[in-house]
């Protein structure tokens, strides 16, 4: 494929947090579609994209932890950890998915319930790549 769109964003600060997920570091940003400050990927080339998210539920646990995957400001689906909050252990949240997207669509992640943990030992990562035009 001639057109390369790939990004890898990492958050490794903030400890327990929720709300809009922004990032501290952008290791790869071919196609310049990812904005680290807003945590938003703006599609530079229409096509099919593969995304993945990885993170840990935080120490400040509620009943569960939920991350919303938003497309153009609306929740498309949710990634959740529904383990028992009483145990107090950290749980991995990890998911890979495909989306058909049109140029200028926006994709972002939002921690809507519970907390995520972000530090140097437990980074939150969001990656994406164009796999078909």
């Amino acid at each position: 494929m001639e057109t390369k769109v790939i990004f890898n964003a990492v958050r490794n600060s903030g400890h327990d947090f929720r709300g809009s997920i922004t990032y501290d570091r952008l290791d790869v940003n071919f196609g310049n579609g990812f904005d680290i400050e807003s945590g938003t990927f703006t599609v530079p080339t229409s096509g099919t994209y593969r995304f993945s998210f990885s993170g840990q539920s935080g120490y400040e646990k509620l009943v569960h932890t939920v991350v919303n995957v938003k497309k153009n400001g609306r929740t498309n689906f949710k990634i959740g950890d529904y383990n028992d909050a009483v145990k107090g252990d950290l749980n991995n949240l990890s998911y890979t998915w495909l989306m058909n997207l049109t140029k200028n669509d926006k994709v972002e992640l939002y921690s809507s319930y519970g907390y995520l943990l972000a530090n140097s030992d437990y980074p939150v990562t969001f990656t994406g790549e164009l796999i078909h035009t």
Side-chain angles (χ1 to χ4, degrees):
M1 185 164 43
E2 294 292 320
T3 305
K4 297 228 183 282
V5 179
I6 303 169
F7 70 86
N8 182 58
V10 178
R11 178 174 179 151
N12 55 15
S13 68
H15 202 64
D16 285 350
F17 74 94
R18 66 176 158 189
S20 294
I21 303 176
T22 58
Y23 302 87
D24 302 309
R25 192 175 78 229
L26 191 57
D27 293 337
V28 176
N29 193 20
F30 296 128
N32 296 314
F34 199 86
D35 177 39
I36 192 171
E37 291 178 11
S38 69
T40 302
F41 173 65
T42 302
V43 176
T45 304
S46 297
T48 302
Y49 285 78
R50 177 178 33 231
F51 295 99
S52 65
F53 165 80
S54 180
Q56 296 280 334
S57 58
Y59 288 108
E60 296 290 329
K61 291 194 67 127
L62 299 174
V63 176
H64 54 273
T65 304
V66 176
V67 173
N68 294 27
V69 176
K70 293 185 171 189
K71 176 183 171 187
N72 298 325
R74 298 185 64 170
T75 297
N76 199 331
F77 65 93
K78 299 176 182 183
I79 302 166
D81 162 35
Y82 297 93
N83 289 326
D84 186 357
V86 178
K87 292 181 183 176
D89 55 348
L90 303 175
N91 295 296
N92 188 44
L93 284 85
S94 181
Y95 201 77
T96 300
W97 67 98
L98 300 177
M99 294 176 90
N100 292 317
L101 298 168
T102 303
K103 185 175 181 173
N104 295 321
D105 279 346
K106 296 184 182 306
V107 177
E108 61 189 321
L109 304 178
Y110 184 89
S111 177
S112 62
Y113 192 83
Y115 293 87
L116 291 172
L117 174 64
N119 62 36
S120 59
D121 291 329
Y122 299 101
V124 171
T125 62
F126 181 32
T127 63
E129 65 179 312
L130 175 63
I131 59 171
H132 188 267
T133 57

